[in-house]
Amino acid sequence: YTQALELFRESGSRTDLAAMLNNIGVLERNTGNRRAALAAYQQALAMFREMKQPVGVAGSLNNIGNLYLQQGQDDLARRS
């Protein structure tokens, strides 16, 4: 993921970069690094919002909600 992330940054493809950040968030969540997961999801969310891409925004919010749900934070999950 690290190499791909750098290549997307170099290419200037913000959509692909935001999608990769979501993927990194999934990896971090699955390996138990919830802080890093949330940070990656929030970066992706900000980028998708800036680009006005509702599908990307929805995917990022879904990932954030799933993370909160896994942590037992149901209220935060519902708001995501």
Side-chain angles (χ1 to χ4, degrees), residues 24-39:
I24 289 171
V26 171
L27 170 70
E28 296 292 358
R29 184 186 73 207
N30 289 343
T31 58
N33 193 348
R34 292 181 176 139
R35 279 193 184 147
L38 183 59

Side-chain angles (χ1 to χ4, degrees), residues 46-60:
M47 291 177 73
F48 282 127
R49 281 184 170 155
E50 183 180 298
M51 293 182 289
K52 298 183 183 348
Q53 293 191 7
V55 173
V57 169
S60 297

Side-chain angles (χ1 to χ4, degrees), residues 54-76:
V55 173
V57 169
S60 297
L61 288 171
N62 184 62
N63 286 338
I64 291 169
N66 285 335
L67 179 64
Y68 285 139
L69 191 61
Q70 285 182 336
Q71 294 175 335
Q73 297 176 315
D74 297 356
D75 289 341
L76 288 174

Side-chain angles (χ1 to χ4, degrees), residues 1-49:
Y1 281 136
T2 303
Q3 290 179 20
L5 187 64
E6 289 307 313
L7 289 171
F8 285 131
R9 281 193 175 122
E10 291 172 10
S11 77
S13 176
R14 294 183 50 79
T15 300
D16 290 329
L17 178 58
M20 183 51 111
L21 286 166
N22 264 330
N23 290 340
I24 289 171
V26 171
L27 170 70
E28 296 292 358
R29 184 186 73 207
N30 289 343
T31 58
N33 193 348
R34 292 181 176 139
R35 279 193 184 147
L38 183 59
Y41 293 149
Q42 288 174 332
Q43 285 179 347
L45 177 61
M47 291 177 73
F48 282 127
R49 281 184 170 155

